[in-house]
Amino acid sequence: MIDFLPIIAPVLISIFLLVIFFYLRKKRSFPRPYTPLERDGDPPFEYLQDTCLENIPTHELQSLLNRAQLKGIVLIHGTFIGDDPLTLIRAAESILSRHRPINLNLMRRMTKGQTDLILQEKANFTKHYINELEGLCPGIPIKRFVWTSSNHHLARLKGAMELNKFLIKEGLNQGPVLFLCHSHGSQLPILLSSLQSNANLYAEIAKLFKKHNTANSFKLSSLKGPFWVNTLGAPPRYEMGLEGAWSFVHFSNHRKETTQGVGTKGVMQTKFGDYIQLWGSPGSDFISASQNERHFNRDLDSLLGKGIDGKTWWQHLDQGNRFQQWGHHYLVDYGDDTILPLGPFSIFGHGIYTSKKLIPFHLYYGLKKFLG
């Protein structure tokens, strides 16, 4: 039964959030606007209709790829799609290791394998996706990075640390490297960019690792870049760093005349686009199964923003913000709205980004911005 938790948990949580939201919506109100990250006005953005998704000019895309001279492309999945989404395996390792060292990597591989089997290409980078990408980008190494995908600060921070090691191991510490990141998977390179450019943040997080006596000391190797990050349905969470040649282009599933997203209205028909992106706002984290991680996450709140906080979450959901702090934004009508109540089958507008038929679209519009 545990193996199915990566699939069951987000569905149950989504239902719970909807019920609570409809019950309290009329009883709570918050002032507008409530900006999650400091910035002056809206960042650059464009609206794109679903007619832009297909018929990407092949010769222009190949020209962009030739100009880019990519050293590699890295795919990073989002929350609940990894190998330990509820931190249960890590907690079990911690308890069992008190008696003797134990490694549950087989359980991790089984968890990720079942997720791939059930979700296929909805909110997930599959082997078929990689094969399609390799066909479009011959000679460019395609790497899929797997992390725990637990929904809290520390899991994403450790994911960023593991990504740093991964890039060094794969020889991708010097770019140009293109990232295609779904949902909270985008937070990993965002955190890396911030830690690389913010020495104070780096030092404070290093102190917390020492304070909580974690098995892994906090240390990041130097990355040279340039690193180009395509985020796909990423909730705005963390400060971004642009030093070290980090650049960002953000894609959001959005169907509305204004830039503000909608928290629940029309959710079963995905009428206004990606709802999960909004539900993943600050305050929406889950409680870790590990007591030490729960204490660690509370300390991280002062550095990375509120992880678990109902009021903060309601404020951000009320605002409907889809904009990150920096980077170019595409508000795209991905055409996945329906007349029938089929929202869960599209993961409420959040699963469309990783369809292999959209690879040319994301490559083309991302590289156009990165290459100027």
Side-chain angles (χ1 to χ4, degrees):
M1 180 65 180
I2 291 179
D3 288 337
F4 288 96
L5 284 174
I7 309 304
I8 296 173
V11 174
L12 294 178
I13 292 299
S14 297
I15 294 173
F16 172 77
L17 292 176
L18 283 173
V19 172
I20 296 298
F21 185 81
F22 280 120
Y23 178 73
L24 294 178
R25 183 172 176 81
K26 295 182 179 179
K27 299 183 179 183
R28 303 181 71 122
S29 61
F30 298 96
R32 295 176 184 270
Y34 184 90
T35 53
L37 299 167
E38 292 184 5
R39 59 171 183 260
D40 295 325
D42 287 336
F45 72 93
E46 297 176 53
Y47 290 109
L48 295 178
Q49 299 301 314
D50 55 359
T51 53
C52 298
L53 300 177
E54 299 179 358
N55 301 319
I56 298 298
T58 305
H59 65 285
E60 290 188 30
L61 176 56
Q62 288 303 317
S63 176
L64 289 171
L65 287 167
N66 291 337
R67 286 176 55 199
Q69 294 293 298
L70 295 173
K71 299 289 181 61
I73 298 176
V74 179
L75 311 176
I76 307 179
H77 61 78
T79 306
F80 302 123
I81 314 297
D83 56 11
D84 190 11
L86 300 180
T87 328
L88 296 176
I89 298 175
R90 182 173 292 178
E93 281 182 336
S94 176
I95 294 171
L96 296 174
S97 294
R98 295 172 185 172
H99 305 286
R100 63 175 183 176
I102 189 168
N103 188 304
L104 299 179
N105 282 339
L106 176 60
M107 187 175 292
R108 287 187 172 89
R109 289 194 295 271
M110 290 174 62
T111 300
K112 179 56 180 166
Q114 278 202 342
T115 303
D116 289 347
L117 180 64
I118 295 173
L119 285 182
Q120 296 295 315
E121 64 176 27
K122 285 186 174 66
N124 187 31
F125 296 112
T126 64
K127 292 181 179 179
H128 299 295
Y129 187 100
I130 294 174
N131 292 339
E132 188 78 14
L133 191 53
E134 288 175 336
L136 284 170
C137 309
I140 300 176
I142 312 297
K143 305 293 182 179
R144 185 171 79 156
F145 178 73
V146 178
W147 59 294
T148 65
S149 75
S150 298
N151 187 33
H152 54 77
H153 286 319
L154 186 57
R156 294 186 281 269
L157 182 57
K158 288 184 175 180
M161 293 169 62
E162 292 164 5
L163 176 61
N164 179 262
K165 294 177 182 178
F166 178 84
L167 294 174
I168 299 294
K169 178 183 175 182
E170 298 294 337
L172 299 176
N173 55 311
Q174 185 169 350
V177 176
L178 177 67
F179 294 84
L180 297 175
C181 309
H182 182 252
S183 191
H184 273 323
S186 307
Q187 313 301 346
L188 276 55
I190 287 175
L191 280 169
L192 274 183
S193 74
S194 186
L195 290 165
Q196 187 173 340
S197 61
N198 189 335
N200 290 333
L201 177 63
Y202 188 102
E204 290 301 317
I205 287 180
K207 290 178 184 178
L208 289 182
F209 270 82
K210 185 175 182 179
K211 172 185 175 181
H212 290 277
N213 298 314
T214 57
N216 300 321
S217 60
F218 181 71
K219 185 178 181 180
L220 297 177
S221 300
S222 177
L223 301 174
K224 297 181 180 179
F227 299 111
W228 301 332
V229 184
N230 271 1
T231 76
L232 310 174
R237 292 297 299 264
Y238 301 133
E239 298 283 344
M240 307 170 74
L242 299 181
E243 294 182 18
W246 290 90
S247 302
F248 296 87
V249 170
H250 311 285
F251 294 84
S252 295
N253 187 5
H254 184 80
R255 283 180 288 277
K256 202 165 178 278
E257 292 181 357
T258 64
T259 60
Q260 183 185 28
V262 176
T264 57
K265 184 179 179 181
V267 63
M268 295 306 292
Q269 294 82 28
T270 61
K271 182 177 180 180
F272 295 108
D274 184 351
Y275 291 80
I276 300 290
Q277 182 188 34
L278 301 177
W279 297 351
S281 296
S284 65
D285 286 1
F286 285 8
I287 299 175
S288 172
S290 164
Q291 183 179 29
N292 185 57
E293 289 192 348
R294 292 196 292 272
H295 294 317
F296 204 143
N297 278 316
R298 281 197 288 271
D299 284 344
L300 284 171
D301 279 0
S302 62
L303 300 174
L304 301 178
K306 290 290 186 180
I308 302 174
D309 186 86
K311 182 178 180 180
T312 297
W313 183 74
W314 283 110
Q315 287 174 321
H316 286 282
L317 190 65
D318 184 60
Q319 187 205 20
N321 176 57
R322 296 198 190 277
F323 288 146
Q324 302 287 341
Q325 184 185 21
W326 310 113
H328 189 86
H329 293 72
Y330 288 113
L331 301 180
V332 186
D333 180 359
Y334 280 89
D336 61 337
D337 52 326
T338 64
I339 297 176
L340 299 174
L342 300 176
F345 294 96
S346 68
I347 315 184
F348 304 110
H350 200 56
I352 187 66
Y353 304 100
T354 51
S355 170
K356 59 181 181 291
K357 70 179 182 180
L358 293 175
I359 294 175
F361 168 74
H362 291 135
L363 287 178
Y364 178 74
Y365 280 94
L367 288 174
K368 276 182 65 177
K369 290 300 176 184
F370 293 132
L371 294 170

